[in-house]
Amino acid sequence: MSQTPAAKKTTKSTGDIMADAGQSHLIQSSLINNIEKLNIHASNMPLTWKNFATNLKIYMRANNFEKESESRKVAILLACIGSEALEIFYSFNVDIDTISFKELLKKFEEYFLPKVNISMERHKLFNRKQGQDEDIASYATDIKNISLQCGFDELRDNILKDVFSWNLNSSNNYIREKLLTNDPKTFQESLDLSKKLETSRQQAKVLQGEQSTTSQSFVGKGRYRFLRLPFGINAASEIFHSEMVKRFSDLEGVKIMIDDILIYAPDKETHDKRLENVLKRAREINIKFNKEKSVICKEEVRYLGHVFSQKGVKVDESKVKAICDMPTPSQCQ
């Protein structure tokens, strides 16, 4: 009884694949070389793959390669993707002569775009706040990249525009107000306006700084000016409070009053996390706390003349006692 030979899977070398791609009279190696090879070691692989796939689509459409046979299009894809990605192709264990271009593209996409938890990605986006010392451009780039995994589709631009404005840090409240007033139609318009405002504020600070340092100088044996805010300046406490608010108010569960910081939370785990965030921020901006004056992990604390606890807020009895025990004046002047 004769036996039908088993179907044999065709395995081609990298050179064979390149040769197949080069046989088409439409394909020019100079054009293929203009497509950047896929960097399989990129830190943001989903974004890198999407950029490559988009560039490939544009390239094939511009050169009318979409009408080529499936085997030609597969060869073009593999020739453009680069030798490193070919190793991944070999792991698919598919027949290069039978797989369609669309099927192969999907396999690469599934490899480089692992399934994501959309709810988690959206949570990450909505809670991504601009850092206190983070510039507008870096903040915008990061939320744009996060939003790619959120599945917003045609709503992405509008949502991105709103999130961008909502989560600006406290020192950029003036930008948020301007965005609300002007109501830009797109995320890019919001970003462009914000960059202009940020640049203008920075330039104004430079000019203001040049004027103020001159006006605050004093003459002794030579001419000097303060490098730090000195004691005795009438507005010193207000300035200090303002700077502390700028640096800590974006942290959840934190209240600032001049040099007093109150950290609160519903449970110990959350408390410890918030405390860690405050200490980390302080380290980043070189602020030191007085260990002897710090009270940590207490269910009841005295703050601004009041006692704060799980039961609520009440007046500090020691303050009341000081007033009640104050002696009656014995003489008048």
Side-chain angles (χ1 to χ4, degrees):
M1 183 176 178
S2 62
Q3 293 183 344
T4 303
K8 184 178 180 181
K9 182 168 290 188
T10 303
T11 303
K12 295 191 177 184
S13 67
T14 303
D16 293 334
I17 293 170
M18 298 299 184
D20 285 347
Q23 286 174 5
S24 172
H25 66 281
L26 292 173
I27 302 175
Q28 301 176 29
S29 61
S30 60
L31 288 177
I32 291 178
N33 290 334
N34 284 336
I35 297 181
E36 187 175 352
K37 305 299 182 185
L38 182 66
N39 178 13
I40 65 173
H41 306 294
S43 58
N44 190 339
M45 200 60 231
L47 180 61
T48 302
W49 167 254
K50 285 187 176 182
N51 288 339
F52 172 80
T54 301
N55 289 336
L56 178 67
K57 184 177 181 180
I58 294 171
Y59 166 75
M60 295 190 70
R61 182 168 297 177
N63 291 280
N64 204 27
F65 292 159
E66 293 175 318
K67 297 180 180 179
E68 289 286 303
S69 66
E70 288 298 308
S71 61
R72 292 288 190 193
K73 288 191 288 186
V74 166
I76 293 170
L77 167 58
L78 295 177
C80 291
I81 205 168
S83 58
E84 286 189 317
L86 279 177
E87 298 299 323
I88 297 171
F89 164 71
Y90 295 141
S91 71
F92 295 156
N93 197 28
V94 297
D95 190 340
I96 190 174
D97 292 323
T98 58
I99 191 170
S100 70
F101 173 77
K102 188 175 181 180
E103 289 172 339
L104 182 56
L105 202 62
K106 185 177 180 181
K107 282 189 173 293
F108 274 117
E109 184 170 308
E110 290 173 348
Y111 183 91
F112 291 118
L113 300 180
K115 189 174 181 180
V116 297
N117 187 323
I118 291 181
S119 295
M120 195 63 214
E121 293 301 313
R122 291 178 179 179
H123 173 79
K124 188 189 302 182
L125 175 66
F126 292 141
N127 288 277
R128 171 57 166 96
K129 300 182 185 300
Q130 182 191 14
Q132 201 60 42
D133 297 317
E134 184 178 23
D135 61 75
I136 292 289
S138 299
Y139 165 59
T141 299
D142 195 39
I143 63 173
K144 279 176 66 177
N145 290 339
I146 296 173
S147 70
L148 292 173
Q149 306 295 323
C150 293
F152 291 136
D153 298 327
E154 67 275 3
L155 296 176
R156 176 173 170 253
D157 192 75
N158 279 331
I159 294 174
L160 199 55
K161 176 171 69 76
D162 292 338
V163 171
F164 173 77
S165 175
W166 296 339
N167 292 343
L168 288 169
N169 64 37
S170 57
S171 63
N172 283 330
N173 282 335
Y174 72 100
I175 294 180
R176 186 183 296 107
E177 292 173 3
K178 198 72 174 178
L179 292 174
L180 290 172
T181 302
N182 288 27
D183 191 23
K185 301 304 180 186
T186 66
F187 169 69
Q188 189 60 48
E189 289 180 10
S190 294
L191 178 58
D192 291 341
L193 176 58
S194 299
K195 285 181 177 179
K196 289 180 182 178
L197 293 171
E198 182 183 51
T199 301
S200 298
R201 172 63 67 90
Q202 291 170 349
Q203 292 172 343
K205 282 185 176 180
V206 171
L207 296 175
Q208 184 180 8
E210 291 174 352
Q211 296 169 357
S212 61
T213 52
T214 302
S215 63
Q216 292 173 2
S217 61
F218 57 93
V219 178
K221 292 183 178 181
R223 187 167 183 169
Y224 301 87
R225 64 170 179 260
F226 292 112
L227 297 178
R228 294 180 176 83
L229 180 66
F231 286 103
I233 300 296
N234 187 46
S237 60
E238 287 83 356
I239 294 172
F240 184 83
H241 174 73
S242 176
E243 292 300 318
M244 290 291 286
V245 168
K246 285 180 183 178
R247 285 157 174 76
F248 290 98
S249 63
D250 63 309
L251 299 179
E252 189 175 3
V254 178
K255 294 296 182 183
I256 304 289
M257 177 52 68
I258 308 179
D259 60 347
D260 287 325
I261 301 179
L262 177 67
I263 305 170
Y264 59 92
D267 53 67
K268 187 177 185 302
E269 182 180 356
T270 307
H271 166 273
D272 292 348
K273 181 62 179 176
R274 291 177 179 178
L275 174 61
E276 181 183 353
N277 291 338
V278 170
L279 294 175
K280 182 179 178 181
R281 177 66 58 79
R283 188 179 296 113
E284 290 172 353
I285 59 180
N286 198 28
I287 287 182
K288 297 180 180 179
F289 299 133
N290 189 325
K291 183 178 179 180
E292 295 179 356
K293 293 184 178 180
S294 300
V295 179
I296 300 176
C297 201
K298 300 292 183 180
E299 294 185 355
E300 182 178 283
V301 293
R302 285 176 167 76
Y303 185 69
L304 302 180
H306 293 76
V307 178
F308 292 77
S309 68
Q310 293 180 340
K311 298 178 181 179
V313 182
K314 63 181 181 180
V315 176
D316 187 347
E317 294 297 336
S318 64
K319 304 295 183 183
V320 177
K321 186 175 185 301
I323 296 175
C324 293
D325 294 347
M326 184 174 63
T328 303
S330 58
Q331 59 183 3
C332 59
Q333 294 181 349

